[in-house]
Amino acid sequence: MPSACDSLIDDIEDMVSSSDPTPHERQSARKSIIPRSRRKKELNNEELQVDSLIPGTQKIWMKTWGCSHNNSDGEYMAGQLAASGYKMTDDPTEADVWLLNSCTVKNPAEDHFRNSIKKATEQQKKVVVAGCVPQAQPRMEYLKGLSIIGVQQIDRVVEVVDEAVKGHSVRLLGQKKDGGRRLGGARLDLPKIRKNPLIEIISINTGCLNACTYCKTKHARGDLASYPIEELVERARQSFQEGVCEIWLTSEDTGAYGRDIGTDLPKLLWRLVEEIPEGAMLRLGMTNPPYILEHLEEMAKILNHPRVYAFLHVPVQSASDSVLMDMKREYCIDDFKRVVDFLKQRVPGVTIATDIICGFPGETDEDFQETVDLVKCYRFPSLFINQFYPRPGTPAAKMEQVAAHVKKQRTKELSQLFHSYNPYDHEVGERQHVLVTEESFDGQYYVAHNKFYEQVLVPKRVEFKGKMIEVDIYEAGKHFLKGQPVEHSKPFTPSIAAPLQKGEVSGLMQDKIFRMINNEGEGLESIGIFNRLDGKEMS
């Protein structure tokens, strides 16, 4: 039996509408409250102990596994917690609370997640879990007694963490709805802390229209629900005003965007490119073949746009039609080839990334050979090879499995084929423009990307970070190019404002200015507020 302090709330449905206060308005109200003065009295030890558990004063360590959609959710949760007074830390040992944001795509990711819960418990940390694992299976034994934030409830992370700090177990797992229609998720104007201040990850929709027999994510993210175009454009606009120079669009299937709200992906993309400053770039996320087929003409035009990376991630999973049918992928291999062939013809140099599952139930040697032949034909520069793992609760888990040693051998064979060719050798000697946004894992280089989203390593000079620079390609590896900056070539700054500092909360500056304009306008002249967009004083 749970104790009196364990207020267990399960499967709450969060109803929102346009009239509800925004997160910024809630935060503003919270800050405007003036505490009533109270007569001081001596505190005994017990009261001091209670005082130390006041929510909003603790340190939080967050770990995120999985896709860019999950990473975006993690950035939003970190931003809200920091805006509410919690301190985010990179050191798990000094944290009071561990916020674990999980991924359910593969067994290893869930194993890491489960092990982290065990480790946190052993270290007597408070634990809050989020992401696709608890959303899909909240009653798993190892989640018993833990607070859960559902994938569409990330705007309420502060409430959940507050309760966890006080020793309560709270579970928010419901769907966002407005007038009975399922929404894409929490509002896009929430505070967030970008992992990389130069890159904004925008989730354009959640869920998908498929029912793949191996997929566990569908259990968590559900059916397709898209954000309106205007909300996505506004989010992009705000991001550029905060110094972002690269935007990633993400979802479980970007190609299906808008089908639930009467629009489509090309309409969204054409609106977004109007907002992209010169030199900044847009990267498209993963799209399944069925929903991109009808938009090929428009997609080719968009990928040729100078401010859009000529890059598309189109998972094939298998080149065997019989395997694709068992997977319920809703396309045949000729559909996939049509997408790739069309884009290669209309978008010179385009990068097509794809995924392959080795050893899906029922896959024969002949089926696997068809996949091998596909890779030999297209020599994909970016190929994600996955050995099949049966996920509990999926139809594929109940199918007759391929022997483990066969799966392992096929995975090895395909990996060897992938590493047998060098996709970038022909680019040595070329002069390219690249956008510098990251640092290499070894800390020796800055990482840039060219028009085709190929990774280009450049010298680590502080003046290059966040800039578009011109380089001569002098070396090609399996996964990268190396570029030497062109002498006398001046770096170009695409950002229209100074980027936020690492760890700084996005959205709060605009909110603060908005509140001051509306509530404290008389003080504007004396303090000289500046517009982050153009650096001019606001009238």
Side-chain angles (χ1 to χ4, degrees), residues 432-472:
Q432 300 180 350
H433 286 92
V434 298
L435 180 59
V436 184
T437 56
E438 302 171 72
E439 185 177 307
S440 61
F441 287 118
D442 62 9
Q444 299 300 305
Y445 300 90
Y446 275 154
V447 177
H449 292 91
N450 59 19
K451 163 67 177 173
F452 311 107
Y453 202 68
E454 295 161 343
Q455 184 171 268
V456 182
L457 303 180
V458 300
K460 192 176 176 182
R461 298 182 197 165
V462 66
E463 66 269 23
F464 290 163
K465 194 71 175 288
K467 304 292 195 296
M468 181 74 78
I469 65 173
E470 193 174 20
V471 298
D472 289 323

Short mmCIF file of all heavy atoms in Angstrom, two decimals, residues 432-472:
data_model
loop_
_atom_site.label_atom_id
_atom_site.label_comp_id
_atom_site.label_asym_id
_atom_site.label_seq_id
_atom_site.Cartn_x
_atom_site.Cartn_y
_atom_site.Cartn_z
N GLN A 432 34.87 24.64 -50.93
CA GLN A 432 33.50 24.56 -50.44
C GLN A 432 33.23 25.62 -49.37
O GLN A 432 34.15 26.04 -48.66
CB GLN A 432 33.23 23.17 -49.84
CG GLN A 432 33.41 22.02 -50.79
CD GLN A 432 33.12 20.67 -50.13
OE1 GLN A 432 32.96 20.59 -48.90
NE2 GLN A 432 33.05 19.61 -50.94
N HIS A 433 31.96 26.00 -49.26
CA HIS A 433 31.51 26.83 -48.15
C HIS A 433 30.93 25.90 -47.09
O HIS A 433 30.12 25.02 -47.41
CB HIS A 433 30.46 27.84 -48.60
CG HIS A 433 31.04 28.97 -49.38
ND1 HIS A 433 31.14 28.96 -50.76
CD2 HIS A 433 31.56 30.18 -48.97
CE1 HIS A 433 31.71 30.09 -51.18
NE2 HIS A 433 31.96 30.84 -50.12
N VAL A 434 31.34 26.09 -45.84
CA VAL A 434 30.88 25.21 -44.76
C VAL A 434 30.44 26.06 -43.57
O VAL A 434 30.98 27.14 -43.32
CB VAL A 434 31.99 24.22 -44.33
CG1 VAL A 434 32.37 23.31 -45.49
CG2 VAL A 434 33.22 24.94 -43.80
N LEU A 435 29.46 25.55 -42.85
CA LEU A 435 28.95 26.23 -41.65
C LEU A 435 29.49 25.53 -40.41
O LEU A 435 29.26 24.34 -40.20
CB LEU A 435 27.42 26.21 -41.64
CG LEU A 435 26.74 26.90 -40.45
CD1 LEU A 435 27.13 28.37 -40.36
CD2 LEU A 435 25.22 26.75 -40.55
N VAL A 436 30.21 26.27 -39.57
CA VAL A 436 30.88 25.72 -38.39
C VAL A 436 29.95 25.81 -37.18
O VAL A 436 29.57 26.92 -36.77
CB VAL A 436 32.19 26.46 -38.10
CG1 VAL A 436 32.94 25.81 -36.94
CG2 VAL A 436 33.07 26.51 -39.34
N THR A 437 29.60 24.68 -36.59
CA THR A 437 28.63 24.70 -35.48
C THR A 437 29.05 23.90 -34.25
O THR A 437 28.47 24.07 -33.19
CB THR A 437 27.26 24.15 -35.95
OG1 THR A 437 27.45 22.84 -36.48
CG2 THR A 437 26.63 25.05 -36.99
N GLU A 438 30.03 23.01 -34.37
CA GLU A 438 30.32 22.10 -33.26
C GLU A 438 31.82 21.91 -33.07
O GLU A 438 32.63 22.39 -33.86
CB GLU A 438 29.66 20.73 -33.51
CG GLU A 438 28.15 20.79 -33.71
CD GLU A 438 27.59 19.45 -34.17
OE1 GLU A 438 27.55 18.52 -33.35
OE2 GLU A 438 27.19 19.35 -35.34
N GLU A 439 32.14 21.16 -32.01
CA GLU A 439 33.52 20.78 -31.75
C GLU A 439 33.64 19.27 -31.87
O GLU A 439 32.71 18.54 -31.49
CB GLU A 439 33.92 21.23 -30.34
CG GLU A 439 35.39 21.00 -29.99
CD GLU A 439 35.74 21.54 -28.60
OE1 GLU A 439 35.44 22.72 -28.35
OE2 GLU A 439 36.29 20.77 -27.80
N SER A 440 34.75 18.78 -32.40
CA SER A 440 34.92 17.34 -32.57
C SER A 440 35.04 16.65 -31.21
O SER A 440 35.38 17.28 -30.21
CB SER A 440 36.17 17.03 -33.41
OG SER A 440 37.34 17.52 -32.77
N PHE A 441 34.74 15.35 -31.18
CA PHE A 441 34.77 14.61 -29.92
C PHE A 441 36.14 14.67 -29.25
O PHE A 441 36.24 14.72 -28.03
CB PHE A 441 34.37 13.15 -30.16
CG PHE A 441 32.90 12.96 -30.43
CD1 PHE A 441 32.46 12.44 -31.63
CD2 PHE A 441 31.95 13.32 -29.49
CE1 PHE A 441 31.11 12.28 -31.89
CE2 PHE A 441 30.59 13.17 -29.74
CZ PHE A 441 30.17 12.65 -30.94
N ASP A 442 37.20 14.65 -30.06
CA ASP A 442 38.54 14.67 -29.47
C ASP A 442 39.01 16.08 -29.13
O ASP A 442 40.11 16.26 -28.59
CB ASP A 442 39.54 13.99 -30.41
CG ASP A 442 39.68 14.68 -31.76
OD1 ASP A 442 39.13 15.78 -31.93
OD2 ASP A 442 40.33 14.11 -32.65
N GLY A 443 38.19 17.09 -29.46
CA GLY A 443 38.54 18.46 -29.13
C GLY A 443 39.61 19.08 -29.99
O GLY A 443 40.07 20.20 -29.73
N GLN A 444 40.02 18.39 -31.06
CA GLN A 444 41.12 18.87 -31.89
C GLN A 444 40.66 19.79 -33.03
O GLN A 444 41.45 20.57 -33.56
CB GLN A 444 41.87 17.68 -32.51
CG GLN A 444 42.49 16.74 -31.48
CD GLN A 444 43.49 17.43 -30.59
OE1 GLN A 444 44.44 18.05 -31.07
NE2 GLN A 444 43.28 17.36 -29.28
N TYR A 445 39.40 19.67 -33.42
CA TYR A 445 38.89 20.43 -34.57
C TYR A 445 37.53 21.05 -34.25
O TYR A 445 36.85 20.63 -33.30
CB TYR A 445 38.70 19.51 -35.79
CG TYR A 445 39.94 18.83 -36.29
CD1 TYR A 445 40.31 17.57 -35.81
CD2 TYR A 445 40.74 19.42 -37.27
CE1 TYR A 445 41.45 16.94 -36.28
CE2 TYR A 445 41.87 18.79 -37.75
CZ TYR A 445 42.23 17.55 -37.25
OH TYR A 445 43.36 16.92 -37.71
N TYR A 446 37.15 22.00 -35.07
CA TYR A 446 35.76 22.40 -35.15
C TYR A 446 35.09 21.56 -36.24
O TYR A 446 35.74 21.18 -37.23
CB TYR A 446 35.62 23.88 -35.47
CG TYR A 446 35.70 24.79 -34.26
CD1 TYR A 446 36.13 26.11 -34.39
CD2 TYR A 446 35.33 24.35 -32.99
CE1 TYR A 446 36.20 26.95 -33.29
CE2 TYR A 446 35.41 25.18 -31.89
CZ TYR A 446 35.84 26.47 -32.04
OH TYR A 446 35.91 27.29 -30.95
N VAL A 447 33.80 21.30 -36.06
CA VAL A 447 33.05 20.50 -37.04
C VAL A 447 32.14 21.43 -37.82
O VAL A 447 31.34 22.18 -37.24
CB VAL A 447 32.22 19.41 -36.35
CG1 VAL A 447 31.40 18.63 -37.38
CG2 VAL A 447 33.12 18.46 -35.56
N ALA A 448 32.26 21.37 -39.13
CA ALA A 448 31.40 22.15 -40.03
C ALA A 448 30.67 21.19 -40.96
O ALA A 448 30.98 19.99 -41.01
CB ALA A 448 32.25 23.13 -40.84
N HIS A 449 29.70 21.69 -41.68
CA HIS A 449 29.00 20.89 -42.69
C HIS A 449 28.89 21.69 -43.97
O HIS A 449 28.63 22.90 -43.95
CB HIS A 449 27.60 20.49 -42.20
CG HIS A 449 27.62 19.52 -41.06
ND1 HIS A 449 27.63 19.93 -39.74
CD2 HIS A 449 27.66 18.16 -41.04
CE1 HIS A 449 27.67 18.86 -38.95
NE2 HIS A 449 27.68 17.78 -39.72
N ASN A 450 29.08 20.99 -45.09
CA ASN A 450 28.93 21.64 -46.39
C ASN A 450 27.47 21.56 -46.83
O ASN A 450 26.60 21.11 -46.08
CB ASN A 450 29.88 21.03 -47.43
CG ASN A 450 29.65 19.53 -47.63
OD1 ASN A 450 28.58 18.99 -47.29
ND2 ASN A 450 30.62 18.84 -48.18
N LYS A 451 27.19 21.99 -48.02
CA LYS A 451 25.81 22.04 -48.54
C LYS A 451 25.12 20.67 -48.47
O LYS A 451 23.90 20.58 -48.31
CB LYS A 451 25.85 22.54 -49.98
CG LYS A 451 24.62 22.30 -50.83
CD LYS A 451 23.41 23.08 -50.37
CE LYS A 451 22.22 22.85 -51.31
NZ LYS A 451 20.98 23.44 -50.82
N PHE A 452 25.91 19.59 -48.54
CA PHE A 452 25.34 18.24 -48.58
C PHE A 452 25.34 17.57 -47.19
O PHE A 452 25.18 16.36 -47.08
CB PHE A 452 26.11 17.38 -49.59
CG PHE A 452 26.27 18.09 -50.91
CD1 PHE A 452 27.50 18.60 -51.28
CD2 PHE A 452 25.18 18.28 -51.74
CE1 PHE A 452 27.65 19.29 -52.48
CE2 PHE A 452 25.32 18.97 -52.94
CZ PHE A 452 26.56 19.47 -53.31
N TYR A 453 25.51 18.40 -46.17
CA TYR A 453 25.57 17.97 -44.77
C TYR A 453 26.64 16.90 -44.54
O TYR A 453 26.49 15.99 -43.73
CB TYR A 453 24.20 17.47 -44.27
CG TYR A 453 24.11 17.55 -42.76
CD1 TYR A 453 24.07 18.78 -42.11
CD2 TYR A 453 24.08 16.40 -41.98
CE1 TYR A 453 24.01 18.86 -40.73
CE2 TYR A 453 24.02 16.47 -40.59
CZ TYR A 453 23.99 17.71 -39.98
OH TYR A 453 23.94 17.79 -38.60
N GLU A 454 27.72 17.03 -45.26
CA GLU A 454 28.88 16.16 -45.03
C GLU A 454 29.76 16.84 -43.99
O GLU A 454 29.96 18.06 -44.03
CB GLU A 454 29.64 15.94 -46.34
CG GLU A 454 28.81 15.17 -47.37
CD GLU A 454 29.32 15.32 -48.78
OE1 GLU A 454 30.11 16.25 -49.04
OE2 GLU A 454 28.91 14.52 -49.64
N GLN A 455 30.30 16.05 -43.08
CA GLN A 455 31.08 16.59 -41.98
C GLN A 455 32.46 17.02 -42.46
O GLN A 455 33.20 16.23 -43.04
CB GLN A 455 31.22 15.51 -40.90
CG GLN A 455 31.93 15.98 -39.65
CD GLN A 455 31.86 14.96 -38.54
OE1 GLN A 455 30.97 14.97 -37.71
NE2 GLN A 455 32.79 14.03 -38.52
N VAL A 456 32.79 18.28 -42.21
CA VAL A 456 34.09 18.84 -42.61
C VAL A 456 34.80 19.34 -41.36
O VAL A 456 34.29 20.21 -40.65
CB VAL A 456 33.92 19.99 -43.62
CG1 VAL A 456 35.29 20.52 -44.06
CG2 VAL A 456 33.11 19.53 -44.84
N LEU A 457 35.98 18.78 -41.09
CA LEU A 457 36.78 19.20 -39.93
C LEU A 457 37.66 20.38 -40.34
O LEU A 457 38.34 20.32 -41.37
CB LEU A 457 37.65 18.04 -39.44
CG LEU A 457 36.91 16.77 -39.05
CD1 LEU A 457 37.90 15.69 -38.59
CD2 LEU A 457 35.87 17.04 -37.97
N VAL A 458 37.64 21.44 -39.53
CA VAL A 458 38.41 22.65 -39.82
C VAL A 458 39.23 23.02 -38.59
O VAL A 458 38.94 22.57 -37.49
CB VAL A 458 37.48 23.82 -40.22
CG1 VAL A 458 36.66 23.45 -41.46
CG2 VAL A 458 36.55 24.21 -39.08
N PRO A 459 40.26 23.85 -38.77
CA PRO A 459 41.08 24.24 -37.62
C PRO A 459 40.23 24.89 -36.52
O PRO A 459 39.27 25.60 -36.79
CB PRO A 459 42.06 25.25 -38.21
CG PRO A 459 42.15 24.88 -39.66
CD PRO A 459 40.78 24.40 -40.03
N LYS A 460 40.63 24.64 -35.30
CA LYS A 460 39.87 25.12 -34.14
C LYS A 460 40.28 26.55 -33.81
O LYS A 460 41.04 26.81 -32.88
CB LYS A 460 40.10 24.18 -32.96
CG LYS A 460 39.15 24.40 -31.80
CD LYS A 460 39.40 23.37 -30.72
CE LYS A 460 38.54 23.62 -29.51
NZ LYS A 460 38.81 22.65 -28.42
N ARG A 461 39.71 27.48 -34.55
CA ARG A 461 39.96 28.90 -34.31
C ARG A 461 38.66 29.53 -33.84
O ARG A 461 37.61 29.38 -34.47
CB ARG A 461 40.43 29.60 -35.58
CG ARG A 461 41.74 29.06 -36.14
CD ARG A 461 42.15 29.84 -37.37
NE ARG A 461 43.15 29.13 -38.15
CZ ARG A 461 43.47 29.43 -39.40
NH1 ARG A 461 42.86 30.44 -40.00
NH2 ARG A 461 44.38 28.73 -40.05
N VAL A 462 38.72 30.25 -32.75
CA VAL A 462 37.52 30.78 -32.10
C VAL A 462 36.69 31.65 -33.05
O VAL A 462 35.46 31.70 -32.97
CB VAL A 462 37.89 31.55 -30.81
CG1 VAL A 462 38.68 32.80 -31.14
CG2 VAL A 462 36.64 31.88 -30.01
N GLU A 463 37.36 32.31 -34.00
CA GLU A 463 36.64 33.21 -34.89
C GLU A 463 35.80 32.46 -35.93
O GLU A 463 35.00 33.07 -36.65
CB GLU A 463 37.61 34.17 -35.62
CG GLU A 463 38.57 33.49 -36.59
CD GLU A 463 39.89 33.10 -35.95
OE1 GLU A 463 39.91 32.92 -34.71
OE2 GLU A 463 40.89 32.97 -36.69
N PHE A 464 35.96 31.12 -36.00
CA PHE A 464 35.19 30.33 -36.97
C PHE A 464 33.85 29.84 -36.41
O PHE A 464 32.95 29.49 -37.16
CB PHE A 464 36.00 29.11 -37.43
CG PHE A 464 37.17 29.43 -38.31
CD1 PHE A 464 38.18 28.49 -38.52
CD2 PHE A 464 37.28 30.67 -38.92
CE1 PHE A 464 39.27 28.78 -39.33
CE2 PHE A 464 38.38 30.97 -39.73
CZ PHE A 464 39.37 30.02 -39.93
N LYS A 465 33.74 29.76 -35.08
CA LYS A 465 32.55 29.15 -34.48
C LYS A 465 31.29 29.95 -34.84
O LYS A 465 31.21 31.16 -34.63
CB LYS A 465 32.71 29.10 -32.96
CG LYS A 465 31.69 28.20 -32.24
CD LYS A 465 31.96 26.73 -32.51
CE LYS A 465 31.03 25.83 -31.72
NZ LYS A 465 31.35 25.80 -30.28
N GLY A 466 30.31 29.25 -35.41
CA GLY A 466 29.07 29.88 -35.79
C GLY A 466 29.16 30.67 -37.08
O GLY A 466 28.26 31.46 -37.40
N LYS A 467 30.22 30.46 -37.86
CA LYS A 467 30.44 31.22 -39.10
C LYS A 467 30.38 30.31 -40.33
O LYS A 467 30.65 29.11 -40.26
CB LYS A 467 31.81 31.90 -39.07
CG LYS A 467 32.06 32.80 -37.88
CD LYS A 467 31.19 34.05 -37.89
CE LYS A 467 31.70 35.11 -36.93
NZ LYS A 467 31.65 34.68 -35.51
N MET A 468 30.05 30.92 -41.44
CA MET A 468 30.16 30.27 -42.75
C MET A 468 31.53 30.64 -43.30
O MET A 468 31.84 31.83 -43.45
CB MET A 468 29.06 30.75 -43.69
CG MET A 468 29.07 30.11 -45.06
SD MET A 468 28.49 28.40 -45.10
CE MET A 468 26.70 28.63 -45.01
N ILE A 469 32.37 29.63 -43.55
CA ILE A 469 33.72 29.91 -44.03
C ILE A 469 33.98 29.15 -45.33
O ILE A 469 33.29 28.18 -45.65
CB ILE A 469 34.80 29.55 -42.99
CG1 ILE A 469 34.84 28.04 -42.73
CG2 ILE A 469 34.57 30.32 -41.69
CD1 ILE A 469 36.00 27.61 -41.83
N GLU A 470 34.99 29.58 -46.05
CA GLU A 470 35.38 28.93 -47.31
C GLU A 470 36.63 28.10 -47.07
O GLU A 470 37.60 28.59 -46.47
CB GLU A 470 35.63 29.99 -48.39
CG GLU A 470 35.72 29.44 -49.79
CD GLU A 470 35.82 30.53 -50.84
OE1 GLU A 470 36.18 31.67 -50.48
OE2 GLU A 470 35.54 30.25 -52.02
N VAL A 471 36.61 26.85 -47.52
CA VAL A 471 37.74 25.95 -47.28
C VAL A 471 38.11 25.19 -48.55
O VAL A 471 37.27 24.99 -49.43
CB VAL A 471 37.44 24.93 -46.15
CG1 VAL A 471 37.18 25.62 -44.84
CG2 VAL A 471 36.28 24.02 -46.53
N ASP A 472 39.37 24.77 -48.60
CA ASP A 472 39.83 23.85 -49.63
C ASP A 472 39.92 22.46 -49.01
O ASP A 472 40.59 22.27 -47.98
CB ASP A 472 41.21 24.27 -50.16
CG ASP A 472 41.15 25.53 -51.01
OD1 ASP A 472 40.15 25.68 -51.75
OD2 ASP A 472 42.07 26.36 -50.92
#
